[in-house]
Amino acid sequence: MTPHPPPTDVLTLEVVELIGTVVARYHEEYEEAAAKHSLTGAQARVLALLAREPMPMRRIAQKLKCEPSNVTGIVDRLEARSLVERRPDPADRRVKLAAVTDEGRATSARLRESLHFAREPLAGLSTRERTALRDLLQRMLGD
């Protein structure tokens, strides 16, 4: 006989629903902000990743949890707009890194600045409350 999972309490269900609402709103605003820069959400996410550091396609795919072939197409389109360039990896010249250009870094920064979702609600929380929220979210994610 298979054991049944314990029933989920009302508070847990409410928290799960609230997290889902936050995620949906974030994605909606992210897509809108990306569109204002003539980017898809996926292109904007790749650009944001590469603004932190150059990386091979396979690593981008792992971080975005998608197929490397999808990343190749995204990088191709970003490269055609001079936002990203491919360059040899200094550690292994057989590997190509995708790297953000100056224009790509500026575009990524403007996009990040245009994301207002949650800033206003978070501004209503004290530093202590924001720190507690961050710590709880990190704990939930196992970071």
Side-chain angles (χ1 to χ4, degrees):
M1 190 161 105
T2 309
H4 291 78
T8 306
D9 62 284
V10 174
L11 177 60
T12 299
L13 290 174
E14 187 178 5
V15 170
V16 167
E17 196 169 303
L18 287 167
I19 289 171
T21 301
V22 167
V23 169
R25 284 188 190 170
Y26 174 82
H27 281 295
E28 185 179 311
E29 183 173 317
Y30 199 87
E31 293 289 332
E32 288 172 11
K36 288 177 185 168
H37 295 276
S38 301
L39 297 168
T40 65
Q43 289 170 338
R45 285 188 286 281
V46 168
L47 199 57
L49 275 176
L50 296 178
R52 290 187 212 130
E53 64 176 315
M55 59 183 72
M57 308 290 181
R58 188 171 304 281
R59 187 145 148 244
I60 296 168
Q62 288 169 342
K63 288 194 169 282
L64 295 181
K65 297 182 180 12
C66 68
E67 291 297 316
S69 59
N70 293 346
V71 171
T72 300
I74 292 167
V75 169
D76 286 346
R77 288 184 286 285
L78 291 171
E79 190 173 35
R81 291 186 51 194
S82 301
L83 299 175
V84 166
E85 65 185 13
R86 286 176 170 90
R87 59 171 81 138
D89 184 342
D92 182 350
R93 300 195 60 81
R94 296 170 297 173
V95 175
K96 289 280 190 204
L97 297 178
V100 73
T101 62
D102 289 341
E103 186 178 341
R105 188 177 313 285
T107 300
S108 180
R110 283 192 305 273
L111 194 145
R112 191 174 48 251
E113 283 304 310
S114 70
L115 290 172
H116 299 293
F117 172 71
R119 286 188 192 161
E120 288 179 27
L122 286 172
L125 300 178
S126 69
T127 300
R128 185 183 202 175
E129 289 169 326
R130 288 193 314 274
T131 300
L133 179 58
R134 181 209 54 207
D135 293 349
L136 288 168
L137 291 170
Q138 286 176 335
R139 199 164 120 204
M140 282 177 65
L141 295 171
D143 293 350

